[in-house]
Amino acid sequence: MSNKTLGLPDDVHAYLLEVGTRETDVLRRLRDETAALPQHNMQIAPEQGAFMHLIVQLMGARRCIEVGTFTGYSSICVATALPDDGLLVCCDVSDEWTDIGRKYWAEAGVEDRIDLRIAPALETLDALLAAGESGTYDFAFIDADKTNYTSYYERILQLLRPGGLVALDNVLWDGQVADPSVDDPDTNALRSLNAMIAADSRVTVSMLPLADGLTLALKR
């Protein structure tokens, strides 16, 4: 819901972008083009993109999955951290939004690392599992429809290797998860997910107050 860190004043956020990230010209132009869309709040914050790039590079990840690609900002952040023979499977249902991303993937030189699957993400994840790819992925990012987050999470855990990491976006949902007066399907789904992951013995977990809330779950 937010493409900057919750509660961060605009001047502090501008300073953070200036000295705390290394946003490339390609990413900046993609962010500007996306800002003109009615759904622009679906784009991740630049500071989150920089963090994810660092995490993927730190892990030495080679095989990654993204559930929810939108216009491609997060996929560039991940793909540019991969080696030349790395793979990022991108799951999305929109040709319109991902066509924007395709242009910038080419400019960023990562289009050969991205396998875009236009289909409901659960179908794509189930197909990967059916193809015997359980335990073969290093990193996954979930940023799609909130009511299916738990289903995505369960499949991603099967696809990750032990020591693999899943990052889940929007887990603070503009603070609404902490407001008991808010009662809607998306907020309730995120509350249930957060409680489930907090108690999930299969992972080591940390929820970060970065952007709109980012949970990191490391598969044991």
Side-chain angles (χ1 to χ4, degrees):
M1 286 178 81
S2 174
N3 49 22
K4 75 169 192 174
T5 294
L6 284 176
L8 204 62
D10 288 343
D11 58 342
V12 178
H13 186 244
Y15 180 79
L16 184 154
L17 296 187
E18 179 182 355
V19 303
T21 70
R22 294 178 178 173
E23 189 178 39
T24 64
D25 178 66
V26 170
L27 285 172
R28 189 176 299 107
R29 286 187 287 106
L30 171 54
R31 182 158 60 93
D32 289 342
E33 182 170 344
T34 304
L37 298 176
Q39 306 88 351
H40 62 88
N41 276 347
M42 291 169 55
Q43 187 173 58
I44 69 167
E47 60 268 29
Q48 180 179 335
F51 177 75
M52 289 167 50
H53 178 92
L54 179 63
I55 288 293
V56 171
Q57 190 172 35
L58 182 66
M59 292 180 69
R62 304 181 69 87
R63 289 168 59 81
C64 303
I65 302 173
E66 177 177 81
V67 180
T69 295
F70 191 38
T71 59
Y73 193 101
S74 56
S75 52
I76 292 175
C77 293
V78 171
T80 51
L82 296 175
D84 290 342
D85 61 348
L87 171 70
L88 172 61
V89 177
C90 287
C91 307
D92 207 283
V93 294
S94 172
D95 282 311
E96 177 185 1
W97 291 338
T98 55
D99 279 350
I100 296 173
R102 286 178 186 274
K103 297 184 302 181
Y104 291 95
W105 293 341
E107 285 195 52
V110 296
E111 58 185 340
D112 59 337
R113 303 175 201 173
I114 294 176
D115 177 6
L116 175 62
R117 310 283 185 98
I118 299 295
L122 290 177
E123 292 182 9
T124 298
L125 298 177
D126 283 342
L128 295 176
L129 290 167
E133 298 190 20
S134 298
T136 66
Y137 288 85
D138 304 300
F139 175 83
F141 178 49
I142 299 176
D143 182 17
D145 54 305
K146 309 314 169 192
T147 54
N148 273 318
Y149 258 39
T150 297
S151 297
Y152 298 144
Y153 173 78
E154 290 295 342
R155 287 161 172 80
I156 288 295
L157 274 193
Q158 295 179 62
L159 288 162
L160 287 177
R161 61 169 172 82
L165 183 73
V166 55
L168 301 101
D169 200 21
N170 304 119
V171 292
L172 293 178
W173 204 227
D174 205 26
Q176 294 182 31
V177 290
D179 184 348
S181 70
V182 178
D183 183 19
D184 63 75
D186 287 339
T187 305
N188 289 332
L190 286 167
R191 285 191 188 115
S192 296
L193 171 84
N194 291 341
M196 185 268 287
I197 295 177
D200 189 352
S201 62
R202 298 171 296 175
V203 297
T204 302
V205 63
S206 177
M207 181 187 288
L208 305 176
L210 175 66
D212 195 27
L214 185 70
T215 288
L216 302 180
L218 183 74
K219 182 176 177 179
R220 292 177 173 172

